[in-house]
Each structure stands twice: as C-alpha cells, then as structure tokens.
Amino acid sequence: MSVATERQDPGPAAAGVRRSGEPPGTRRPAPGTPGRGRLTGAAPYLLLLPALAVTALLLGWPLVKDGLLSFQNLNMRQLIQHLTEWNGVDNYRETLTSEDFWRVTLRSVIFTAVNVVLIMLLGTLVGLLLARLGSKMRLLLSVGLVLAWAMPPIAGTTVFQWLFAARFGVVNWVLDALGWHSMAHYNWTGSQFSTFFIITVLIVWQSIPFVAINLYAATTTIPGELYEAAALDGAGTWKSFTSVTFPFLKPFLLATTFLEVIWVFKAFTQVFAINEGGPDRLTETLPVYAFIEGVGNQHYGMGAAISVLTIVVLLALTSYYLRTVLRQEEDEL
Amino acid sequence: MKRSPLARLWPNATAVVLFIGFAFPVYWMFTTAFKPTSDIISEDPVWFPTGATLDHFQKAVNADHFWRLVGNSLTITLSAVGLSLLIALLASFALARMRFKGRRGFLVTFMIAQMAPWEVLVIAIYMLVRDGDMLNSLLPLTLFYMVMVLPFTILTLRAYVAAIPKELEESAMVDGCTRPQAFVRVIFPLLAPGLMATSLFGFITAWNEFPLVLILNKDPGAQTLPLWLSSFQTAFGDDWGATMAAASLFAIPILVLFLFLQRKAVGGLTSGAVKG
C-alpha cells in the first residue's frame, strides 16, 4: 500500500523545510487576525510529528519489511540461523503459479461478496424498519442490535461454536424439532460449506447492527419536506423510497459498503477461530492462508509474498471507492 | 397518516423476531454460563434456567494464568489507548485548527493508515519483534495497538475539535491566555465527550485484538484475554458451561462500555472512518 510513500512526500520533507525556517515565535501576526500568524510556521508539523513518527515506525516499517521478506527464501532454518537469503521473485512466481493461491483468492472474493451483499441488504432493511417502528419497538430492536454489535469477535465465535455444537447445540435441536431429523447430531465444522455457513451467519449477525443503526440515524436527517413534495407528486411508498430515501442515503451506503468490504475481507479472528481454516484447509481465506503458510508451515518468505498479494487484491476490490473518496477530498479541502 | 392495525402488526412482529435473533446468542452465552451442567447437557434445551450456579465462573477464573492475563490485557489496552490519545490530541488540534502546507496530505495519510492491513502484516511484525528480541513481551503489543487505534482517534478527535467554535479560544486568548493555556482551559473540557468516545473505541479494538498476540506471545504468561479465551475453549473442549463463563467474563466489559458508547458511535464512526 502507498502508506509509506504517501507519508514521506508532504511529511518530513515539508516539516524539515519549515523547521529550518523561522521558529513560530518570530513570525509577525498578520494584521487584523489575532493569533493567525502563529498558526503557520513549524507548530502544526511539530504537533503532527509524534503521530507520523510512530505510524512510520510501527506501520510503515512492517509494510516495508513485508515487502523485503517477500523476496527472501526464509524458512525455519534461515530463521534460526539468522540468514538472509534473497531469492528474487521466486516466492511470487511460486505463489502465482500455485493452484492453491488462486483457489483461496477466488474463495476470499466470493466470501467477501456474499457477506457484504447480505450485510448491506439486510442491514438496510433493518435500518428502514427501525425508521418505521414506534419508539418502544425501536428501543427493543436497538437493544438487540447493540448486544450483537458489542459482542467481541472472539467471544461471538465461541458462542456460535456452542450454538452449532453437534451435541446439545441449539441449532441442531431446532432443525431436528422442525422435522429435519438427519440434523440432530450434525457436525457443522465437518465440511467446507457448512463451516462457511457458520462463519457467514456469525459475521452477518455481528455486522448488520452497524449498518442498520447508522442507516437509521441517517434517515432521521432526511428533511420531511422532501417526502411531502414527493407525496404531492403522487409518489407511493416505493416511489418515495427510490426518489427520496435512496438518493439521500446513497453516499452513506457507498461508504459503508466500502468499509464492510475491507472488514470482511480482512476478517481473521472469526475465520481462524471457528475451525483454524479447516476442514482440510478448505475455509482458509487470504489472511488466514498467509498466516498458515507463513507462520504455521514456517515459510515466512512465502507468507510475506502472499501478504503483499493480499494487499494488492484488497486494493483492487476497493479501488473504485478509494478513487472517489480521494477525488472528493480534493474538492472539499 | 393512519395505518391499519394489520399494517402496524407486521413491522412490530418483525422487530420482535429480529430482537430475538440478535439477542439470543448473547442470552444463550450468559444463561449457559450460569446453568447447572445437567441443564446444559439435556437432550432438550432448557430455555429458561431454573437454578443458577457460579461453578463455571469459578472454573474459568481458576484456570491457569487467568488473573495474570487480566492484568496483561488491562495494562496493554489502557497504555495503548492513553498513549494514542495523547499523540492524537496534538495531531488533531493541528489538523482541525491550523492551515499549513500538506494538510490534505496528512489527512489522507491517516485515512489510508486506518485501512492498514494489520491482519496480513503479522509475519513482518513477527520478524521485526523477534529481531528486536521482544517476543513474549507486553511492550510491542502496546505499541502496535497504539498505532492501530491512532488514525481513528486522530480523525475523530479532529471532527470534535473542529466542532468547537474558534471564538471560544480567541476570547480566552484576548483575556490573556497563551494558545496552549486556551487549549487546556477551554477546549479540553469541551472535548470530554470526544475523548470518551474515541478512547472507548480504542479500548474495544485493543481489548479484542487477536492475530498479533497469537503470533507474538506464545508464552502463556505473556498473553492477553482473547488468546486465553480461544485456548480455554480448546482446553475445556465440551465443557460449554465453563467456556461460556469464560466468554462472558471476556465480553462483559465491552458490553457495558458499549451501552455507554453506542449513542456516540452512531454517525461518528462513519464520518471519522471515511470522511476524515
């Protein structure tokens, strides 16, 4: 990602120039604007310096290190003996020509797509429902949403393992009671599809509240006159939704979709903790794959290459939105 | 506009069903934690526990290293949040109140830093920490968590600072305050809600962090609670009472914090996260 370079161009360079110039105190305040003059000079750069320094050190450096590692042959032996063996683009060649990598990439993209579509669709519906409810029912539903939202991912994962437990799990009991008797002792983590099913239910359950509650908050800011005008023009429920609500919420929905894509794609805790990528490594998504290849199998250089490629895939998935945001920022500032 | 009773029934009925759907896993966690084992391993689920026991909690609390890890988690989380607040206050003040060259660049930098792919950087971080001979230490985790929550803290605090009228500071400065004094006496108290909201979010992020501690601190005494919970589950296997008690112990602080935080979270999160 461009974090490191992005930081370097305006940051230290500009700060250096400023700092070698006049110290803040010697600046003469511009006439008529008390204090204004002090706002220029080195002060802002000094105030930003700690934040930039720690970010460069603790985020920039690992990013660079990850890039460097990805060009090294680094396994258990090299790690223990502190050897640095460069091997050019071998890791990338091996990764990009392995069927596994492409299978995992495709799996990650589909996994992200399915989850984000479900989250956005259901989250929007729940949000619109919140807007329609009376205050008591809205409070009730909000409490439920906040509980799910607040549940720490690792605790949520543990609870879902219990809900879907083969023996004494509530889900199997309910399915059995509904007449699906073959599900009475079903082992959910035994197959790829059913494991992904639990992970998806878990992630969607935890993510809907964010979309729904924020969307509801956004709808409360829609001016009522817009609906009155639409009603005067003879718009029904659906028409007023498509002509007023939706256009108003569009920027919000775009921003949220973008966030959810990032969050779901990077989801590690839930995917890893539910079954460690199993059975037979069939539920590894890219971050988990990088972790298991790199750390679990002690192919640190390969793992780093997969990490770099994972970041590239993530950037590709979010590029459209990132471009829009960066362009907007230019207009606004 | 009048709605028929039937038209009102549907949304309300849906709301009740959804409430149950969203709250049930949390309810099931707490009730399982308190249920006697005979209720947990009954062929038909016991929906409403008749008796309550603290046995499972006792087991969780007496598990290896529990109190040690509570201490670790609290130390790391509170220091990470405290440090990031301090650093973010300075930066957000510059970004909200000052005009300078490269301001937009800084903002975009923090926005991008907020998307940092920490989950896939674990290998690089592992190598760095290992080269520094700091595996199984609390310091690297503290520092990384601090940077993890820093961009969000900066961007959100900036929005809070920007919302405070400039005139308040200026009038304090007319009354003889220096700029830093004006900040401490006038802005700081008004920032309290913003500081609360950002520090609570920071707390939640650091408290929950899993991939980094998973790889950096293999020594059981140097771990944090998320790792304890996941390994507890492995160790206690089918003892769902103890596991749910452990999960409850881990989740309660966050659930409580969230109840205070939720109102502030709405809107603030999206604006801070993407709008900068």
Side-chain angles (χ1 to χ4, degrees):
Chain A
M1 188 179 288
S2 57
V3 173
T5 51
E6 187 75 49
R7 181 175 314 102
Q8 265 146 15
D9 59 35
V17 171
R18 288 289 162 153
R19 234 179 291 135
S20 64
E22 295 167 301
T26 61
R27 278 254 169 150
R28 198 166 47 84
T33 49
R36 222 348 104 77
R38 287 199 230 181
L39 300 188
T40 54
Y45 302 104
L46 286 174
L47 291 174
L48 283 163
L49 190 66
L52 290 170
V54 294
T55 310
L57 189 69
L58 295 154
L59 176 57
W61 193 23
L63 275 164
V64 172
K65 180 83 179 175
D66 196 51
L68 293 176
L69 287 172
S70 70
F71 296 106
Q72 291 175 18
N73 179 31
L74 183 61
N75 302 315
M76 201 56 197
R77 193 175 72 85
Q78 289 83 352
L79 182 78
I80 290 173
Q81 300 181 4
H82 285 265
L83 297 173
T84 307
E85 291 176 13
W86 298 94
N87 66 349
V89 293
D90 281 6
N91 292 329
Y92 288 100
R93 191 182 308 134
E94 203 178 315
T95 305
L96 290 170
T97 53
S98 90
E99 231 175 274
D100 273 350
F101 173 76
W102 292 107
R103 203 179 296 132
V104 175
T105 304
L106 181 68
R107 184 188 295 155
S108 292
V109 172
I110 294 174
F111 169 73
T112 307
V114 169
N115 275 278
V116 173
V117 167
L118 285 172
I119 291 165
M120 291 312 298
L121 204 68
L122 299 174
T124 304
L125 288 174
V126 176
L128 293 174
L129 177 68
L130 275 176
R132 271 194 74 178
L133 290 171
S135 60
K136 272 185 201 142
M137 291 310 271
R138 184 185 305 140
L139 181 68
L140 180 81
L141 182 49
S142 302
V143 168
L145 291 169
V146 169
L147 283 176
W149 188 4
M151 195 69 163
I154 190 79
T157 309
T158 314
V159 175
F160 268 61
Q161 284 171 315
W162 167 221
L163 292 172
F164 284 88
R167 288 201 71 196
F168 312 120
V170 173
V171 175
N172 283 352
W173 183 88
V174 169
L175 291 171
D176 184 32
L178 290 175
W180 205 339
H181 300 303
S182 62
M183 299 299 283
H185 293 294
Y186 184 71
N187 175 16
W188 286 88
T189 51
S191 85
Q192 179 187 32
F193 185 75
S194 56
T195 307
F196 263 126
F197 180 81
I198 307 180
I199 298 172
T200 301
V201 175
L202 168 61
I203 289 182
V204 171
W205 172 73
Q206 291 199 304
S207 311
I208 285 178
F210 172 76
V211 178
I213 292 178
N214 280 293
L215 187 124
Y216 163 67
T219 58
T220 59
T221 62
I222 302 178
E225 297 87 52
L226 290 180
Y227 287 109
E228 284 165 24
L232 281 179
D233 290 344
T237 314
W238 175 249
K239 188 80 187 127
S240 78
F241 173 76
T242 52
S243 63
V244 179
T245 315
F246 185 72
F248 196 89
L249 294 177
K250 210 175 150 195
F252 167 82
L253 289 171
L254 261 174
T256 314
T257 308
F258 164 76
L259 281 176
E260 293 294 346
V261 167
I262 294 178
W263 288 338
V264 173
F265 185 80
K266 292 198 305 179
F268 180 90
T269 306
Q270 295 92 334
V271 183
F272 184 82
I274 209 107
N275 203 12
E276 305 208 346
D280 300 327
R281 306 189 58 178
L282 286 171
T283 56
E284 287 175 10
T285 52
L286 276 171
V288 179
Y289 181 63
F291 180 85
I292 290 180
E293 274 299 309
V295 184
N297 297 342
Q298 290 157 349
H299 301 141
Y300 301 94
M302 282 291 284
I306 298 169
S307 304
V308 171
L309 292 169
T310 303
I311 296 171
V312 172
V313 174
L314 181 61
L315 282 178
L317 288 181
T318 53
S319 57
Y320 166 76
Y321 184 77
L322 272 181
R323 254 205 340 255
T324 334
V325 168
L326 291 181
R327 210 178 293 144
Q328 267 175 7
E329 282 299 317
E330 235 156 272
D331 298 341
E332 278 170 19
L333 293 167
Chain B
M1 220 192 294
K2 262 192 192 158
R3 287 194 178 136
S4 68
L6 195 71
R8 266 207 313 269
L9 182 70
W10 275 112
N12 288 345
T14 317
V16 171
V17 171
L18 284 171
F19 166 77
I20 295 170
F22 280 101
F24 182 75
V26 183
Y27 169 80
W28 206 236
M29 171 180 81
F30 280 123
T31 47
T32 306
F34 285 106
K35 271 181 203 166
T37 306
S38 60
D39 279 5
I40 296 172
I41 52 165
S42 93
E43 284 305 328
D44 292 320
V46 179
W47 303 104
F48 306 101
T50 45
T53 168
L54 289 175
D55 288 357
H56 306 306
F57 284 98
Q58 213 156 22
K59 200 165 181 178
V61 168
N62 289 333
D64 289 346
H65 308 294
F66 173 75
W67 291 109
R68 176 90 183 267
L69 300 199
V70 170
N72 287 353
S73 269
L74 281 176
T75 311
I76 294 175
T77 305
L78 294 177
S79 343
V81 171
L83 284 170
S84 82
L85 271 187
L86 214 65
I87 295 174
L89 261 178
L90 303 176
S92 61
F93 185 70
L95 290 171
R97 279 288 194 264
M98 300 178 174
R99 296 284 167 271
F100 52 96
K101 231 182 149 178
R103 183 172 157 277
R104 197 184 79 84
F106 289 113
L107 270 175
V108 173
T109 304
F110 291 121
M111 281 171 54
I112 294 176
Q114 192 161 38
M115 298 167 40
W118 292 103
E119 290 80 359
V120 296
L121 285 181
V122 290
I123 294 166
I125 291 173
Y126 173 76
M127 299 299 299
L128 287 172
V129 174
R130 175 188 168 271
D131 291 348
D133 218 1
M134 301 261 270
L135 291 174
N136 294 314
S137 143
L138 301 189
L139 184 65
L141 284 180
T142 308
L143 295 175
F144 282 111
Y145 293 178
M146 170 189 80
V147 176
M148 245 176 237
V149 301
L150 188 63
F152 172 80
T153 313
I154 291 175
L155 294 174
T156 311
L157 274 185
R158 172 186 158 262
Y160 277 97
V161 175
I164 298 171
K166 242 184 181 150
E167 290 72 35
L168 286 176
E169 274 164 282
E170 283 169 358
S171 64
M173 281 155 75
V174 168
D175 291 348
C177 280
T178 62
R179 200 175 171 83
Q181 279 173 337
F183 182 77
V184 171
R185 289 191 197 157
V186 181
I187 306 298
F188 199 73
L190 291 172
L191 260 186
L195 292 170
M196 285 288 284
T198 47
S199 58
L200 290 176
F201 264 115
F203 186 93
I204 289 171
T205 308
W207 184 258
N208 286 335
E209 203 284 333
F210 181 70
L212 257 191
V213 64
L214 174 69
I215 176 171
L216 291 184
N217 291 15
K218 293 266 188 273
D219 175 3
Q223 293 180 341
T224 58
L225 288 173
L227 217 59
W228 169 79
L229 180 52
S230 76
S231 63
F232 185 90
Q233 212 248 329
T234 318
F236 284 78
D238 285 339
D239 189 345
W240 288 110
T243 306
M244 288 303 107
S248 306
L249 286 175
F250 179 70
I252 286 168
I254 302 296
L255 288 169
V256 171
L257 280 181
F258 219 89
L259 287 177
F260 290 104
L261 162 72
Q262 188 261 328
R263 224 165 258 281
K264 296 192 177 77
V266 172
L269 236 185
T270 34
S271 65
V274 286
K275 292 256 69 190

